[in-house]
Amino acid sequence: MDRTFTPRSGVFLGLFLVFITFLLTTYSSFSYGAAGEGSEQSIMMTRQVFSGTSNGQFKNLGGIGADASGHIYVVDLTDSKIEKLDGNGTLVTLWGSLGAGQGQMNNARSIAVYPCSNNLYIADTDNNRIQMFDSKGKFLRDWGSPGSGFNQFHFPQGIALDSRQGNVYLADTGNNRIQEFHGNGSYITGWGSHGNGSGQFDQPEGITVDRSGDVYVVDHDNYRIEKFDNNGTFITEWGSHGNGPGQFNQPEGITVGTSGHIYVVDRGNDRVKVFDSNGTFITEWRSVQ
């Protein structure tokens, strides 16, 4: 049976909140409030700094990433541009526009930065491709096209990097699979199919890679997290539909903190949930309204 995928039009503030929490525990120079992991004070102050429509502020936030120097890169979906900020939130540079040409974007949903080179990889969702830029915004390469074959995508939403090798992992959402590439765009492998069994997906969205190279995928419509090794071998899964500890309602964003904890944006429950790398629930907090 044919299954049509339509990317959600809402912007995921929760992804921004969980990433800021990650930054607060990673870069001591990047702090908007005195706090540890999950501080609502830090989150509120960060929202006050970044919310707006001027350069360096955002009306419609998409992906967000940080380089090894503490610079922050944010995709503004409204203007289809990337803004580069320093650790204090001051605009450094920006680039991009709406379109399908090199360096242009259409609904770019996520961004990942390779710390060894500070090169950026963008999941250019509605253009069904990955784009690569250097840290100054110079276009380097792109790859992908609409379809279901190797190196083809159907509204990909999540992107992540293995910091050890620089391999790129893409949540090919509409095709219900993960694809892995070398940093130059050459195809390595892929895994997944539509379903609710182990290693299957129903609209995979967020994706992240830990320091060991294990891959964590937000399986949105199955209300769970799935964990794989870097070759796509299934390791474990956790989660179900609900609002209790370890349960999800529209899970979307995910990242790994320096402690190895897994942070998941549970958008439908207006929460960020924290787990260890085996899926054991640790704590949760609500996003600030």
Side-chain angles (χ1 to χ4, degrees), residues 166-232:
N167 291 343
V168 181
Y169 294 85
L170 185 75
D172 187 5
T173 308
N175 284 321
N176 291 297
R177 63 184 178 182
I178 305 302
Q179 295 198 60
E180 180 184 2
F181 304 89
H182 292 293
N184 62 7
S186 59
Y187 179 83
I188 299 175
T189 189
W191 67 88
S193 61
H194 182 224
N196 58 14
S198 297
Q200 294 184 307
F201 304 108
D202 194 350
Q203 295 193 26
E205 293 196 0
I207 186 169
T208 194
V209 184
D210 68 17
R211 292 179 177 179
S212 300
D214 291 332
V215 181
Y216 302 80
V217 181
V218 176
D219 189 7
H220 184 277
D221 284 8
N222 283 323
Y223 308 101
R224 65 183 177 182
I225 308 302
E226 295 196 70
K227 179 180 178 180
F228 304 86
D229 68 16
N230 61 348
N231 296 311

Side-chain angles (χ1 to χ4, degrees), residues 63-272:
I64 183 169
D67 66 21
S69 301
H71 291 110
I72 305 152
Y73 303 84
V74 181
V75 179
D76 190 333
L77 296 175
T78 298
D79 297 324
S80 295
K81 64 185 178 184
I82 297 171
E83 299 196 27
K84 178 181 179 179
L85 313 172
D86 66 18
N88 297 312
T90 302
L91 181 68
V92 176
T93 189
L94 57 85
W95 67 90
S97 61
L98 177 63
Q102 293 181 344
Q104 294 184 309
M105 291 162 278
N106 189 357
N107 195 29
R109 284 288 170 180
S110 57
I111 185 171
V113 185
Y114 185 41
C116 294
S117 63
N118 288 342
N119 288 335
L120 284 69
Y121 296 81
I122 310 294
D124 190 2
T125 301
D126 285 10
N127 284 324
N128 291 295
R129 65 181 177 183
I130 295 171
Q131 292 200 71
M132 180 181 175
F133 301 88
D134 70 14
S135 62
K136 296 181 180 179
K138 178 183 177 181
F139 174 83
L140 299 177
R141 61 172 54 92
D142 62 4
W143 68 91
S145 61
S148 58
F150 297 146
N151 209 17
Q152 292 185 314
F153 313 126
H154 189 47
F155 297 117
Q157 295 214 34
I159 194 166
L161 288 170
D162 180 348
S163 61
R164 305 169 309 159
Q165 300 177 348
N167 291 343
V168 181
Y169 294 85
L170 185 75
D172 187 5
T173 308
N175 284 321
N176 291 297
R177 63 184 178 182
I178 305 302
Q179 295 198 60
E180 180 184 2
F181 304 89
H182 292 293
N184 62 7
S186 59
Y187 179 83
I188 299 175
T189 189
W191 67 88
S193 61
H194 182 224
N196 58 14
S198 297
Q200 294 184 307
F201 304 108
D202 194 350
Q203 295 193 26
E205 293 196 0
I207 186 169
T208 194
V209 184
D210 68 17
R211 292 179 177 179
S212 300
D214 291 332
V215 181
Y216 302 80
V217 181
V218 176
D219 189 7
H220 184 277
D221 284 8
N222 283 323
Y223 308 101
R224 65 183 177 182
I225 308 302
E226 295 196 70
K227 179 180 178 180
F228 304 86
D229 68 16
N230 61 348
N231 296 311
T233 301
F234 176 82
I235 297 175
T236 189
E237 65 182 65
W238 67 90
S240 61
H241 190 201
N243 60 9
Q247 294 184 309
F248 304 108
N249 183 16
Q250 299 182 46
E252 290 173 353
I254 189 169
T255 193
V256 182
T258 54
S259 63
H261 291 164
I262 311 300
Y263 298 82
V264 181
V265 175
D266 187 9
R267 177 172 173 254
N269 287 322
D270 298 313
R271 301 171 188 173
V272 174

